[in-house]
Amino acid sequence: MGPGDLQAILKGIELYRDERTLVSVGDDAGVYEYGGTVLIQTVDVITPVLNDPYLWGAVGTANALSDVYAMGGEPLTALAVVGFNSCELEVKDLRKVMEGAVAKLREAKTVLLGGHTIDDKEPKFGLAVTGVCPEGAYVTQSGAKPEQLIVLTKPVGTGVLVKALKDGKLKEEDIPEAVENMLRLNDRASRLMLAVGATACTDVTGFGLLGHLWNVCRSSGVGAELVFGEIPLYERSVALVREGVYPRGAVDNLRFVENVLETELERWKLLLLTDPVTSGGLLFTVDRERREELFRRARKLGVDCWIIGETTPEGRIRVVQR
Ligand code: CO
Ligand code: CO
Ligand code: CO
């Protein structure tokens, strides 16, 4: 996608691969088979998204595990990656970050094996995660077919809230629903996605809803039609964007999808759809016939889910109001 996208950076460089490489650069995680086991590996590092260090550690962990869940895998082990600035991030805060991380890892039954710290101007926290895919039935971004349902499992608009938090316009207590969603693992959403036979899946993070949807469309050779009114948004994010509060990332993301976008929606609405998300939900495509089963299983698993549109044969994204 953007200039910082690893796939774009690697363009033209011939990678070393072997016959055990099943999925490499360009998907949510790499997939590698070794001794009959299908390994799923990924790394994700983020800057402080919340003011509370414990919550930041927990959200960063949910965010890093998410790519394994997006592939339909089960995380097993993790390595911490910590960038710390001795002036800005005191050691006791760093301990709180790790406490939050360890609590989330425990919830995900994932073992922290070690990690690495580095002096960094801006504090960062993340994890390299290894998981497995029990039946070897991993789900990539490239399996979407035309006329499938597009399903999303968490609201979008957290980038706007993170910016407002950083600017001191909000406190964590003002947005309990968004904090809870950022903290929520995508483990059950992943089970839902597998159970209903999703053919393509990704998680919504830094490129925003439209950016990640476009990655799915592009690699699957399909397009999409989204219904704005069906997309779950935080009320607070809507209000802030209308006031002109949004992160630069939303504008950058919009620029990257603009040439494939067909819409008459106002710009503020589009900025909500390209707003960089932290620890967002899964975005997957599933056959129309599975609609009832989707909602039935979602209720049983306790997973929120919204059908936000459908895939189309032509390689563009159309966004309509209703
Ligand atoms: Co991802
Ligand atoms: Co990621
Ligand atoms: Co080291």
Side-chain angles (χ1 to χ4, degrees):
M1 262 222 35
D5 181 23
L6 189 62
Q7 201 178 5
I9 296 167
L10 288 170
K11 204 173 169 183
I13 303 176
E14 203 190 319
L15 297 180
Y16 168 72
R17 288 189 177 118
D18 62 16
E19 69 286 354
R20 296 178 289 209
T21 314
L22 302 179
V23 177
S24 78
V25 188
D27 219 299
D28 290 298
V31 182
Y32 192 85
E33 198 200 319
Y34 188 77
T37 302
V38 175
L39 296 169
I40 298 183
Q41 295 190 292
T42 174
V43 58
D44 227 307
V45 180
I46 58 173
T47 54
V49 284
L50 298 169
N51 297 326
D52 181 296
Y54 181 95
L55 291 178
W56 175 40
V59 165
T61 301
N63 186 63
L65 293 167
S66 180
D67 280 319
V68 173
Y69 293 128
M71 302 295 291
E74 223 175 82
L76 291 181
T77 63
L79 300 168
V81 183
V82 183
F84 75 101
N85 171 348
S86 37
C87 323
E88 259 191 56
L89 195 66
E90 292 172 38
V91 175
K92 74 174 192 320
D93 281 346
L94 210 50
R95 258 187 80 83
K96 287 201 188 107
V97 172
M98 290 315 298
E99 276 171 15
V102 165
K104 258 302 140 186
L105 287 170
R106 183 177 311 253
E107 186 187 331
K109 295 190 167 63
T110 301
V111 179
L112 184 71
L113 291 179
H116 185 76
T117 60
I118 185 167
D119 210 333
D120 199 337
K121 274 201 202 86
E122 190 182 21
K124 290 177 189 73
F125 171 72
L127 295 162
V129 185
T130 298
V132 286
C133 198
E135 276 92 49
Y138 54 89
V139 182
T140 65
Q141 297 184 2
S142 55
K145 296 173 284 182
E147 303 187 335
Q148 284 187 306
L149 305 173
I150 301 171
V151 184
L152 179 66
T153 68
K154 286 183 192 176
V156 292
T158 60
V160 176
L161 302 176
V162 166
K163 168 142 176 59
L165 278 171
K166 279 186 183 165
D167 293 351
K169 290 193 173 83
L170 274 184
K171 290 204 169 64
E172 272 104 335
E173 305 88 86
D174 300 330
I175 48 164
E177 190 200 350
V179 172
E180 203 188 304
N181 278 330
M182 283 191 260
L183 285 168
R184 183 170 313 128
L185 294 173
N186 279 327
D187 55 349
R188 284 171 297 153
S190 181
R191 256 178 270 155
L192 173 68
M193 175 279 284
L194 290 171
V196 295
T199 62
C201 183
T202 191
D203 59 330
V204 179
T205 54
F207 296 143
L209 175 63
L210 293 185
H212 289 284
L213 176 64
W214 179 241
N215 280 343
V216 170
C217 288
R218 189 177 49 174
S219 54
S220 302
V222 300
E225 180 168 313
L226 295 186
V227 183
F228 184 79
E230 301 294 333
I231 299 169
L233 299 162
Y234 298 109
E235 257 170 62
R236 234 17 209 273
S237 312
V238 174
L240 284 162
V241 170
R242 299 194 76 164
E243 282 166 32
V245 181
Y246 48 83
R248 231 201 66 180
V251 181
D252 294 341
N253 288 340
L254 181 55
R255 199 169 302 137
F256 290 120
V257 290
E258 229 156 28
N259 57 333
V260 296
L261 207 56
E262 216 173 273
T263 185
E264 265 150 37
L265 289 192
E266 296 102 303
R267 190 174 161 82
W268 68 265
K269 290 179 179 168
L270 296 176
L271 287 169
L272 280 166
L273 305 188
T274 56
D275 181 52
V277 177
T278 302
S279 190
L282 296 188
L283 176 71
F284 59 87
T285 67
V286 64
D287 292 345
R288 281 173 177 169
E289 302 72 56
R290 312 291 287 261
R291 177 189 288 263
E292 270 173 48
E293 186 193 352
L294 172 76
F295 287 114
R296 181 164 40 80
R297 287 188 187 269
R299 240 189 332 270
K300 226 170 157 182
L301 284 162
V303 179
D304 296 328
C305 79
W306 292 267
I307 294 172
I308 60 169
E310 287 200 4
T311 50
T312 60
E314 69 270 25
R316 304 181 67 74
I317 297 178
R318 197 165 33 246
V319 191
V320 298
Q321 177 58 41
R322 246 292 124 220

